[in-house]
Amino acid sequence: MANQKGDLISYRPDIKLLDATIRDGGLVNDFRFSDEFIKALYKTNVKSGIEYMEFGYKASKELFKTEDFGKWKFCDEEDIRAIVGENDTNLKLTVMADVGRCDFRKDIIPRSESVIDMIRIATYTYQMPGALEMIEYCHDLGYETSVNIMAISSSREEDVRKSLELVCNSPVDVIYIVDSYGSLYPEQMRELANQYITAAEAVGKKVGLHMHNNQQLAFANTIEGIACGASFVDATMSGMGRGAGNCFMEQMLSFLKNPNYKLTPTLKFIEKYIKEEREKGSVWGYDVPYMLTGAFNRHPRAAIAFIKEQKSDYDALYQDLLYEIS
């Protein structure tokens, strides 16, 4: 078992914060953010000292209609440059590419021609051959790479172990623990983090954390993973993200003792722009239906539909989920 790394007083310079507000938050509003929101978020991340900012997805325009989504579903190079210019800052930029949902050979250009620094590859265990191909391709183009192995709480332990072995033998830089369903408890996070970190450190790779807040444990699981030695941390402004949302960026900035982090710019962004997003009708955050899907280790789609339809018969959802697992 790995020893605890760091304490509550000192800070670990290896820890990097990644703002995933546009990408995970875009799942709430179909990526229809205003340019003002995106520019303000970019400036906020720079001022706050956050190390990475994810703009959205590199989704296939053959599979997804451009008129059905905002531009951050596709993250064309010119759209990112319209926000950041040449990005003459310390903030690194990322996009996510889902295995099977992107035309990576066509849409991902060489790093030397792009303002993007890192490509994050999202995969399920059964898609691992495709993920490895994308990791190799993006690495050879000059990008930093990470891999997010999704839905591990519902995957067979052997499949997770084998996937971890395969990505450790790839040129990927960061391997993410992803609690897709918000179903993990800190004790489980400790076991997973020790498993991932032991494997990753043996081959010189980092481990990242991407948590969902179905059981109000995104922050707890994140700091548990950090204590075990994870060093890349995903968070979003006020937890904005699919369903119950994610770990709160403002919590991470106030928890981590990095003297380069500044909380004030993030708080000012939240009080204006996150408030406006909620007023536009974007809905995310802990609610009873998400607690139920998290407790049952189920995809939150049933809870998302329940809340969208403004239902309130929680026990009916509970009984449906009980029936489903029985």
Side-chain angles (χ1 to χ4, degrees):
M1 176 175 286
N3 295 320
Q4 177 165 322
K5 293 182 171 63
D7 55 50
L8 293 174
I9 301 299
S10 61
Y11 95 97
R12 282 173 34 208
D14 62 304
I15 294 175
K16 311 296 182 190
L17 281 176
L18 186 149
D19 174 60
T21 304
I22 305 174
R23 204 272 308 161
D24 216 318
L27 297 170
V28 174
N29 65 2
D30 292 329
F31 303 90
R32 299 187 190 281
F33 294 103
S34 68
D35 285 354
E36 181 189 355
F37 180 102
I38 302 296
K39 286 177 181 175
L41 180 59
Y42 170 69
K43 291 177 181 177
T44 296
N45 283 322
V46 171
K47 291 176 182 176
S48 296
I50 293 162
E51 287 90 356
Y52 288 80
M53 175 178 174
E54 186 169 56
F55 266 76
Y57 284 101
K58 277 282 188 185
S60 168
K61 293 178 182 177
E62 300 295 320
L63 295 176
F64 300 96
K65 295 179 180 177
T66 54
E67 61 267 26
D68 290 344
F69 301 95
K71 55 193 168 186
W72 308 113
K73 177 80 169 177
F74 308 99
C75 285
D76 291 336
E77 183 75 19
E78 58 267 27
D79 289 331
I80 298 177
R81 286 183 181 272
I83 302 295
V84 308
E86 291 297 319
N87 186 34
D88 186 22
T89 74
N90 292 324
L91 177 67
K92 292 188 174 184
L93 309 181
T94 82
V95 295
M96 181 169 279
D98 281 353
V99 175
R101 294 183 177 180
C102 65
D103 300 317
F104 65 95
R105 293 188 185 279
K106 182 176 75 175
D107 293 336
I108 298 177
I109 61 177
R111 169 69 187 89
S112 59
E113 301 170 20
S114 177
V115 75
I116 297 165
D117 298 282
M118 174 186 273
I119 306 292
R120 307 216 303 161
I121 290 126
T123 183
Y124 294 101
T125 55
Y126 68 86
Q127 298 172 311
M128 196 51 63
L132 295 171
E133 181 184 23
M134 289 174 65
I135 290 167
E136 292 273 1
Y137 183 80
C138 296
H139 171 80
D140 289 348
L141 288 181
Y143 291 99
E144 294 178 44
T145 58
S146 75
V147 62
N148 289 32
I149 308 172
M150 299 183 290
I152 55 169
S153 62
S154 64
S155 301
R156 294 191 313 156
E157 286 184 21
E158 174 60 20
D159 291 342
V160 175
R161 186 197 65 77
K162 184 62 178 175
S163 296
L164 192 53
E165 180 184 315
L166 288 169
V167 295
C168 280
N169 287 319
S170 79
V172 80
D173 299 294
V174 188
I175 305 166
Y176 265 83
I177 303 170
V178 183
D179 185 14
S180 301
Y181 301 165
S183 66
L184 295 175
Y185 296 98
E187 184 176 348
Q188 295 169 296
M189 171 53 59
R190 199 175 313 132
E191 291 179 7
L192 281 166
N194 285 325
Q195 178 188 6
Y196 274 59
I197 289 160
T198 299
E201 285 186 346
V203 288
K205 300 185 188 304
K206 303 289 188 182
V207 170
L209 305 164
H210 183 90
M211 301 293 111
H212 279 266
N213 206 33
N214 297 60
Q215 301 189 90
Q216 300 196 93
L217 290 171
F219 179 61
N221 283 329
T222 297
I223 62 175
E224 189 71 45
I226 288 172
C228 292
S231 52
F232 273 69
V233 178
D234 285 11
T236 63
M237 299 294 169
S238 286
M240 185 179 186
R242 184 203 66 193
N246 304 92
C247 184
F248 283 51
M249 180 61 78
E250 54 269 37
Q251 276 188 301
M252 293 313 305
L253 288 169
S254 63
F255 169 75
L256 296 170
K257 301 301 185 285
N258 188 331
N260 295 319
Y261 291 156
K262 304 290 185 288
L263 184 57
T264 292
T266 286
L267 294 177
K268 288 183 174 180
F269 177 87
I270 289 165
E271 66 190 47
K272 175 173 171 56
Y273 292 98
I274 293 298
K275 179 173 180 284
E276 288 177 359
E277 273 302 309
R278 292 190 186 277
E279 288 171 350
K280 290 176 185 177
S282 294
V283 177
W284 71 90
Y286 170 81
D287 205 339
V288 173
Y290 295 125
M291 179 273 288
L292 292 171
T293 58
F296 282 122
N297 193 20
R298 285 290 180 269
H299 191 287
R301 63 175 63 89
I304 292 170
F306 186 96
I307 289 171
K308 192 173 184 178
E309 293 166 17
Q310 298 184 319
K311 293 181 178 179
S312 58
D313 48 340
Y314 299 133
D315 189 58
L317 177 62
Y318 174 59
Q319 298 300 332
D320 285 344
L321 291 167
L322 273 176
Y323 178 78
E324 183 183 314
I325 65 170
S326 68

